[in-house]
């Protein structure tokens, strides 16, 4: 199978769907000329005049207008430059987009996507390195996709472009250049279906995005010690595939949740609480979570490395849970 | 400009309907029959009425927390509106929204809004969609004086100007943002003066003169429909009642209100109609009576309707909620 | 320091439950004071102190149970002992409480470092499913927590005692042969009590070196001549009749049962039978029997008289149609025909036979004939040729 990058996979998804659906348009800062700061839109540049727009730096309107455009019949894909800047226009997302359908008793078609890069890179520091997907899981009203591979990126995004609900897509900036197998034929990945990236029998590690790769790296090392890790990639957080996680824990009896966002009150806590509620008798040890330390992402590389989790953090928590 | 009687009486009828609805809502609230908050449009009816006469069902509006007048002027069903105020399942939002979030997307009302200036970005988005679909529809975004100090206002005007969107920004300057006077919080005397900052036309009108409002909005709508871009219209008016029903109104005195009441839109228009010989006493009475009946019947409808089933609270979050855990 | 142990108040008592301590740490104790009330399955009893002193520490509280013999507290017999620091909070037990050390000794209920039985949900549910008492499981998880592995080990241990063990080749062969044989005929056993007193008297007086078994073999030899229907082999369709009497004698080698044969028992003297018997038995035990030693038996005797067996149903040997089982000799009060009472030594004779060709009446007659010889001094002397 051919291999393309995560970023190319996104571009392909946009291209395919925009060709088929004339109501899809995309806008944001720095996208119309260079195809986005990470070049994800290169495949569509020059192809859809007027449907790729650069905007002023007006986040509340970037996000709020997506709601209006959707209600008036288009399918907007609004880019947030960095996940951190969702806060800049947060009221439009949390108070308008996420609440409109519910407050109006189900009126209107709200098919819109907010998408953009999140997570750490090389010392981008506190305001350009956040992972804040937890907020959008906590507040009801938007679906969340967090692909970890080019295959998942394309399949999930194509589904998002056909969804009749608002979707937010977090693309980890360090994954854009990562290559992976993607079939030539079109395919869609449904929301709410996790992917077991590696089967195992001793401990379940539930993860998303960049931490999936860290978890796989950790499991390679742990395999040398005879520990067989099962890595479950949730792929979507709203909805999340509870069934697959429970089934896995019932098999392995041990659970570690690994995410890059802060450990405290991160979405891992929701998974942990749900699993202990519904699979209590199957747990042979406490559920452990891997997440960033509860401070902001610092600038200096040794500081960033200390704060942000990686495969070593996953190994540590797995050892704790298995008491080895 | 010559308008025919039917047209003018239409204005009058609409304003009277709005007035009756609001008075009845106030009454019901004070009788503790409806929950939540309501914000009355009394004394401002001319703006919604005059503006909306320029629109069709294919045009959109975004409204505010003080949005009953906008809904009624756009042609909403007062039964469903009243039921929504009561929180009944037959309401526009099935009881999920209430007064501040009332909406009828099917007639182009993209929602009242509990967030000040919350509707402006939405209006801009609708404008973008219209332009991309090459339609000649327009969007009127209603907002108050308080909203003109929010970031969303400035971002929206700039954006609409840059993209030349068919959006009419209709500022209802009723002199008060809750307890704060516009003169205390706003750096310009006329909000319309800010239009120049965004390179769009700014127009000031007497918001309590329905004909003047109609004319100003007509010009702006025509401009928008012909891809002339946005307009900022400031309709000066006065908020006769408190910010919300139950507001103790400690920030101004009765005498000021009584003075301003002299200039309220319905009596002013009524005088003009009588002057022009376009209305008789009997017609006036009949219109008022009809409005009263209509509203009374709406209250009946609302009172007879059922409250929504508690479990229905778990619906309408998403179009498709497969796999979602409530 | 005096150890207060769970007392055994009844023969079958295994565990006791503390209903109520009457004395508490620090209290003075005089000999005879009631320390504690203990309840067992059947009865409730008070435990008295056999010493003077002070209650040092109580290890098992009201409502808790302990096995009989286990330590439930200590009495300090002097003031110094009472003031001494408690080095050991838990009593010395056969098993070390060190979690790192893995022993294979029987686990004993330990409250662990936390004072309550700490077990993971998985361990608890597994224990529940297998009816395992968690207080008997040693925890190897953090802080002594019982984890799944510990419960699984416990389950394995229980099933280990019922471990599968393959049979030795000899045993295997015995078992197979026996099974096959047993399926091929119809076994019925007639039993009767036989008065052994005369036989034992004669043996004692006249042939003290000859074993009872040898004597019985001689008797059998005579009776079988009289009732040749028993001196045959039957394969289900054909009968092979014999003219001489070869008697197989069941011998327990310690490794299994073997049946060496006394050939022509009818012709041999009692002393000769005895000699042969001794030799064969010895060879059997030393595994030195030859093929011909165990072949050619026409009728078998199996004497369990030295063991605690009265009546039994021996199975037939090979194609034989009869086997005599001899039970324990027991002194009994016997009522004679004239209603006088005597003490006689009696033993049960159990005659198993192949009912396909031997009917009950004949078996009874045979038994009667045999008993007659054994119980009659002159007949016995005649058969034994003494």
């Amino acid at each position: 199978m051919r291999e393309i990058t995560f970023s190319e996979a996104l571009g392909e998804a946009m291209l395919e769907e925009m060709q088929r659906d004339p109501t899809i348009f995309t806008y944001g800062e720095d996208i119309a000329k260079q195809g986005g700061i990470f070049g994800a839109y290169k495949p569509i540049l020059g192809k859809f005049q007027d449907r790729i727009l650069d905007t002023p730096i007006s986040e509340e309107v970037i996000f709020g207008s997506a709601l209006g455009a959707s209600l008036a019949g288009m399918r907007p894909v609004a880019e947030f430059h960095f996940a951190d800047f969702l806060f800049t226009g947060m009221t439009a997302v949390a108070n308008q987009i996420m609440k409109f359908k519910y407050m109006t008793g189900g009126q209107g078609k709200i098919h819109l996507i907010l998408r953009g890069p999140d997570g750490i890179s090389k010392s981008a520091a506190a305001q350009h390195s956040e992972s804040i997907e937890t907020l959008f899981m906590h507040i009801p009203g938007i679906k969340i996709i967090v692909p970890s591979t080019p295959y998942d990126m394309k399949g999930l995004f194509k589904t998002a472009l056909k969804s009749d609900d608002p979707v937010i897509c977090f693309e980890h900036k360090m994954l854009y250049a990562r290559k992976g197998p993607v079939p030539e034929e079109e395919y869609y990945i449904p929301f709410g279906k996790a992917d077991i990236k590696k089967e195992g029998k001793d401990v379940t590690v539930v993860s998303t995005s960049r931490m999936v790769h860290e978890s796989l790296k950790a499991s390679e090392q742990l395999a040398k010690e005879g520990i067989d890790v099962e890595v479950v990639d949730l792929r979507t957080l709203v909805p999340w595939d509870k069934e697959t996680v429970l089934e896995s824990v019932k098999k392995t009896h041990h659970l570690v949740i690994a995410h890059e966002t802060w450990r405290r009150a991160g979405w891992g806590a929701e998974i942990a609480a749900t699993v202990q509620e519904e699979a209590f008798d199957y747990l042979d040890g406490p559920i452990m979570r891997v997440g960033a330390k509860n401070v902001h992402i610092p600038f200096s590389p040794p500081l960033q490395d200390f704060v942000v989790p990686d495969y070593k953090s996953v190994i540590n928590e797995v050892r704790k849970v298995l008491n080895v | 400009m010559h308008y025919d009687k039917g047209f003018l009486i239409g204005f009058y009828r609409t304003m009277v309907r709005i007035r009756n609805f609001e008075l009845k809502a106030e009454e019901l609230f004070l009788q503790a029959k409806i929950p939540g908050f309501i914000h009355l449009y009394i004394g401002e009816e001319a703006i919604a009425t005059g503006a909306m006469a320029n629109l069709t069902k294919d045009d959109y509006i975004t409204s505010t927390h003080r949005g009953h007048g906008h809904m009624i002027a756009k042609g909403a069903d007062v039964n469903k509106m009243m039921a929504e105020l009561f929180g009944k399942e037959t309401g526009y939002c099935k009881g999920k929204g209430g007064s501040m979030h009332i909406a009828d997307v099917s007639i182009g009302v993209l929602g009242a809004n509990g967030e000040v200036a919350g509707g402006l970005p939405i209006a801009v988005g609708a404008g973008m969609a219209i332009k991309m679909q090459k339609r000649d529809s327009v969007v009127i975004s209603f907002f108050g004086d308080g909203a003109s100090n929010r970031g969303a206002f400035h971002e929206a005007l700039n954006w609409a100007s840059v993209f030349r969107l068919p959006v009419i920004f209709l500022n209802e300057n009723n002199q008060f943002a809750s307890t704060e006077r516009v003169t205390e919080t706003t750096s310009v005397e006329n909000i319309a003066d800010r239009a120049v900052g965004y390179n769009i036309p700014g127009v000031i009108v007497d918001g309590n003169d329905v004909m003047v409002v109609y004319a100003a909005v007509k010009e702006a709508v025509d401009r928008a429909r012909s891809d002339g871009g946005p307009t900022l219209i400031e309709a000066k008016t006065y908020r006769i009642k408190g910010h919300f029903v139950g507001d103790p109104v400690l920030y101004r005195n009765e005498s000021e209100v009584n003075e301003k009441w002299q200039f309220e839109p319905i009596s002013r228009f009524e005088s003009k109609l009588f002057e022009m010989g376009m209305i008789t006493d009997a017609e006036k009475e009949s219109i008022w009576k009809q409005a009263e009946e209509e509203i009374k019947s709406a209250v009946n409808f609302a009172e007879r309707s059922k409250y929504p089933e508690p479990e229905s609270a778990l619906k309408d979050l998403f179009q498709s909620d497969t796999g979602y855990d409530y | 320091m005096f150890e207060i142990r769970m007392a055994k108040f009844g023969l079958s008592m295994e565990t006791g439950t503390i209903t109520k301590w009457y004395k508490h740490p620090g209290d003075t104790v005089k000999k005879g004071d009631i320390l504690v009330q203990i309840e067992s399955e059947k009865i409730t009893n008070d435990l008295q102190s056999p010493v003077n002193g002070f209650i040092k520490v109580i290890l098992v509280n009201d409502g808790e149970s302990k096995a009989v013999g286990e330590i439930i507290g200590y009495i300090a017999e002097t003031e110094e002992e009472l003031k001494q620091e408690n080095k050991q909070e838990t009593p010395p037990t056969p098993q070390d409480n060190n979690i790192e050390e893995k022993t294979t000794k029987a686990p004993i209920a330990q409250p662990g470092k936390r004072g309550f039985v700490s077990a993971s949900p998985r361990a608890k549910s597994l224990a529940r499913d297998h009816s395992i008492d968690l207080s008997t499981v040693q925890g190897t998880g953090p802080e002594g927590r019982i984890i799944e592995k510990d419960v699984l080990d416990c389950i394995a241990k229980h099933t280990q005692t019922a471990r599968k063990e393959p049979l030795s080749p000899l045993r295997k062969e015995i078992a197979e042969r026996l099974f096959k044989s047993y399926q091929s005929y119809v076994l019925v056993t007639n039993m009767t009590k036989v008065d052994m007193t005369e036989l034992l008297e004669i043996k004692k007086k006249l042939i003290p070196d000859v074993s009872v078994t040898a004597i019985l073999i001689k008797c059998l030899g005579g009776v079988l001549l009289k009732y040749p229907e028993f001196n045959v082999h039957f394969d289900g369709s054909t009968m092979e009749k014999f003219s001489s009497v070869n008697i197989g004698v069941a011998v327990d080698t310690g490794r299994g049962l073997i049946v060496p044969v006394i050939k022509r028992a009818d012709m041999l003297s009692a002393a000769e039978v005895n000699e042969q018997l001794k030799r064969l038995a010895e060879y059997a035990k030393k595994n030195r029997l030859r093929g011909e030693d165990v072949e050619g038996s026409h009728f078998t005797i199996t004497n369990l008289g030295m063991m605690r067996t009265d009546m039994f149903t021996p199975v037939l040997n090979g194609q034989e149609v009869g086997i005599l089982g001899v039970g324990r000799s027991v002194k009994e009060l016997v009522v004679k025909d004239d209603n006088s009472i005597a003490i006689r030594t009696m033993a049960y004779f159990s005659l198993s036979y192949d009912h396909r060709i031997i009917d009950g009446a004949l078996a009874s007659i045979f038994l009667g004939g045999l008993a007659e010889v054994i119980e009659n001094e002159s007949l016995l002397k005649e058969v034994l040729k003494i």
Side-chain angles (χ1 to χ4, degrees), chain B residues 18-326:
Chain B
I18 296 174
R19 177 67 58 86
N20 268 282
F21 187 95
E22 296 296 75
L23 286 172
K24 182 55 89 180
E26 183 183 36
E27 189 189 305
L28 290 166
F29 188 89
L30 292 170
Q31 290 173 348
K33 285 197 177 151
I34 54 181
F37 289 110
I38 53 170
H39 307 81
L40 299 178
Y41 203 58
I42 293 175
E44 305 179 39
E45 298 86 348
I47 304 176
T49 306
M52 236 61 85
N54 289 294
L55 301 185
T56 70
K57 249 181 71 185
D58 296 326
D59 298 314
Y60 302 98
I61 65 164
T62 60
S63 173
T64 62
H65 55 282
R66 201 174 299 284
H68 301 163
H70 306 140
M71 279 283 278
I72 292 173
K74 192 93 178 34
D77 177 348
V78 291
N79 286 348
K80 288 167 87 169
M81 281 182 69
M82 195 59 83
E84 185 59 30
L85 261 59
F86 272 78
K88 301 293 180 89
E89 65 177 5
T90 48
Y92 262 115
C93 306
K94 300 177 193 158
K96 291 200 172 85
S99 166
M100 276 196 286
H101 312 108
I102 204 159
D104 186 351
V105 176
S106 71
I107 57 170
V109 178
L110 303 185
N113 213 304
E115 182 186 23
V116 172
L120 284 145
I122 298 174
V124 164
M128 288 177 80
I130 289 168
K131 197 145 184 197
M132 290 183 140
Q133 292 161 353
K134 299 189 175 24
R135 290 154 54 189
D136 65 357
S137 304
V138 300
V139 190
I140 298 183
S141 187
F142 292 92
F143 61 101
D145 41 285
S148 74
N149 292 324
R150 272 218 60 219
F153 167 81
H154 300 277
E155 288 186 16
L157 261 67
N158 177 64
W159 185 300
S161 172
V162 163
F163 289 103
R164 211 164 70 234
L165 297 177
V167 181
I168 295 101
F169 295 103
L170 187 30
N171 175 237
E172 303 177 297
N173 186 348
N174 64 11
Q175 309 303 312
F176 293 91
S178 190
T179 65
E180 295 171 347
R181 283 179 192 272
V182 63
T183 46
E184 292 161 15
T185 61
T186 309
S187 50
V188 291
E189 193 183 323
N190 302 309
I191 288 154
D193 294 344
R194 287 179 168 161
V196 73
Y198 303 103
N199 201 18
I200 62 176
V203 178
I204 301 172
V205 296
D206 177 356
N208 285 2
D209 184 338
V210 66
M211 300 308 303
V212 159
V213 171
Y214 170 76
V217 174
K218 180 171 194 314
E219 195 183 318
V221 167
D222 288 342
R223 176 179 299 124
R225 287 202 208 283
S226 50
D227 198 29
T231 313
L232 171 60
I233 300 175
E234 181 184 352
K236 300 238 192 230
T237 179
Y238 189 87
R239 198 191 71 205
I240 292 292
K241 295 281 178 175
H243 173 59
F244 58 93
V245 176
D247 179 359
V249 198
L250 302 169
Y251 41 89
R252 63 187 187 189
N253 40 36
E254 279 295 318
S255 56
E256 180 184 327
V257 179
N258 290 336
E259 195 204 306
K260 295 293 184 181
W261 184 245
Q262 314 285 337
F263 303 97
E264 73 92 358
I266 294 181
S267 48
R268 275 175 67 181
F269 190 60
E270 195 185 284
S271 309
K272 221 193 223 138
L273 285 176
F274 273 113
E275 217 178 290
M276 293 197 279
M278 294 282 189
I279 199 171
T280 65
D281 276 308
E283 280 167 330
K284 170 190 159 169
E285 242 195 75
S286 149
I287 287 170
W288 278 88
K289 193 131 183 266
Q290 200 175 44
E292 270 168 46
E293 307 262 318
E294 202 183 0
I295 302 305
K296 209 182 271 167
S297 153
V299 174
N300 271 341
F301 172 77
E303 283 179 331
R304 273 187 348 254
S305 296
K306 286 193 346 208
Y307 277 105
E309 289 298 318
E311 290 74 36
S312 71
L314 301 184
K315 295 206 177 54
D316 298 321
L317 183 67
F318 289 118
Q319 185 72 24
S320 145
D321 60 5
T322 313
Y324 187 77
D325 56 336
Y326 288 98

Side-chain angles (χ1 to χ4, degrees), chain C residues 35 39 66 72 86 126 134 209 226 252 254 276 285 292 306 311-312 382:
Chain C
L35 295 170
E39 200 183 83
K66 211 63 165 142
I72 57 175
N86 260 350
L126 203 57
L134 279 173
D209 297 327
K226 246 176 112 191
D252 180 20
Q276 280 210 17
K285 289 198 169 86
E292 60 201 39
M306 294 71 67
M311 305 176 256
F312 60 111
E382 196 189 311

Side-chain angles (χ1 to χ4, degrees), chain A:
Chain A
M1 202 185 285
R2 61 163 186 164
E3 295 220 333
I4 59 171
T5 66
F6 192 89
S7 159
E8 285 166 341
L10 169 57
E12 263 188 28
M14 281 296 279
L15 179 62
E16 284 167 19
E17 295 303 314
M18 282 178 85
Q19 277 169 341
R20 132 179 334 124
D21 184 349
T23 67
I24 299 178
F25 74 101
T26 182
Y27 59 114
E29 297 156 26
D30 305 317
I31 59 167
K33 282 159 215 83
Q34 65 178 55
I37 44 171
F38 295 98
Y41 280 165
K42 282 215 191 74
I44 58 174
L45 284 183
K47 289 205 174 67
F48 306 101
Q49 198 193 21
D50 300 338
R51 286 162 68 191
I52 310 172
L53 308 167
D54 274 342
T55 70
I57 305 173
S58 307
E59 272 75 11
E60 192 172 341
V61 177
I62 295 178
F63 309 141
S65 65
L67 175 59
S70 179
L71 289 170
M74 298 295 284
R75 273 184 188 271
V77 178
E79 182 180 288
F80 46 83
H81 217 222
F82 285 89
D84 315 55
F85 303 129
L86 279 162
F87 288 122
T88 316
M90 194 59 170
T91 184
V93 182
N95 279 322
Q96 305 298 336
I97 292 174
M98 290 166 83
K99 293 182 183 173
F100 191 91
K101 197 167 186 78
Y102 186 78
M103 292 192 299
T104 62
Q107 295 185 48
K109 284 277 171 63
I110 310 182
H111 29 53
L112 62 88
I113 301 178
L114 303 177
R115 55 152 291 275
D118 78 340
I120 55 158
S121 60
K122 304 224 189 298
S123 283
Q127 292 172 334
H128 288 74
S129 306
E130 283 178 348
S131 297
I132 52 170
E133 65 275 14
T134 302
L135 297 174
F136 300 91
M137 192 181 190
H138 181 57
I139 307 169
I142 199 163
K143 298 186 175 172
I144 307 175
I145 64 177
V146 275
S148 68
T149 62
Y151 178 84
D152 293 334
M153 175 77 247
K154 184 170 178 190
L156 288 170
F157 206 75
K158 278 171 73 79
T159 303
L161 287 165
K162 280 194 133 69
S163 171
D164 275 338
D165 285 311
V167 177
I168 187 163
C169 176
F170 291 103
E171 306 141 17
H172 198 288
K173 42 179 87 72
M174 292 185 82
L175 292 179
Y176 279 125
R178 201 182 173 101
K179 280 203 160 145
V182 176
E184 303 267 3
E185 325 74 65
E186 290 191 45
Y187 62 97
Y188 295 85
I189 296 175
F191 297 168
K193 285 252 62 172
D195 183 31
I196 300 180
K197 290 288 195 282
K198 178 193 171 293
E199 281 186 22
K201 57 168 180 49
D202 293 330
V203 56
T204 301
V205 174
V206 169
S207 187
T208 59
S209 193
R210 181 185 71 93
M211 287 307 290
V212 168
H213 302 285
E214 294 297 313
S215 301
L216 287 168
K217 191 166 170 191
S219 69
E220 268 170 41
Q221 278 223 12
L222 289 165
K224 297 191 192 130
E225 298 172 32
I227 297 173
D228 191 18
V229 178
E230 176 151 296
V231 178
V232 177
D233 178 358
L234 286 181
R235 301 202 291 194
T236 62
L237 287 171
V238 175
W240 67 278
D241 190 350
K242 187 173 66 168
E243 271 61 47
T244 298
V245 174
L246 287 176
E247 226 177 85
S248 179
V249 173
K250 284 179 184 173
K251 179 175 72 165
T252 66
H253 308 298
H254 299 94
L255 176 63
V256 171
I257 301 148
H259 52 52
E260 187 179 297
T261 190
W262 301 284
R263 186 174 180 277
R264 182 181 59 195
W267 57 261
E270 173 70 23
I271 314 295
T274 305
V275 170
Q276 70 83 33
E277 267 174 48
E278 302 197 24
F280 184 74
D281 287 318
Y282 292 87
L283 291 167
D284 200 35
I287 300 175
M288 303 305 283
R289 297 167 293 155
V290 171
K293 305 222 172 11
N294 299 327
V295 291
H296 290 286
I297 313 299
F299 166 71
S300 180
L303 295 181
Q304 178 177 290
D305 289 342
F306 181 76
V307 168
V308 176
D310 63 4
Y311 73 97
K312 297 195 283 296
S313 330
V314 178
I315 291 174
N316 280 343
E317 297 309 303
V318 165
R319 288 228 174 90
K320 275 189 210 158
V321 132
L322 294 174
N323 198 37
V324 292

Side-chain angles (χ1 to χ4, degrees), chain C residues 95-103 138-140:
Chain C
Q95 187 179 35
D96 211 23
N97 203 14
N98 191 346
I99 300 166
E100 280 73 47
E101 203 181 2
K102 285 193 170 100
T103 65
Q138 179 76 307
T140 63

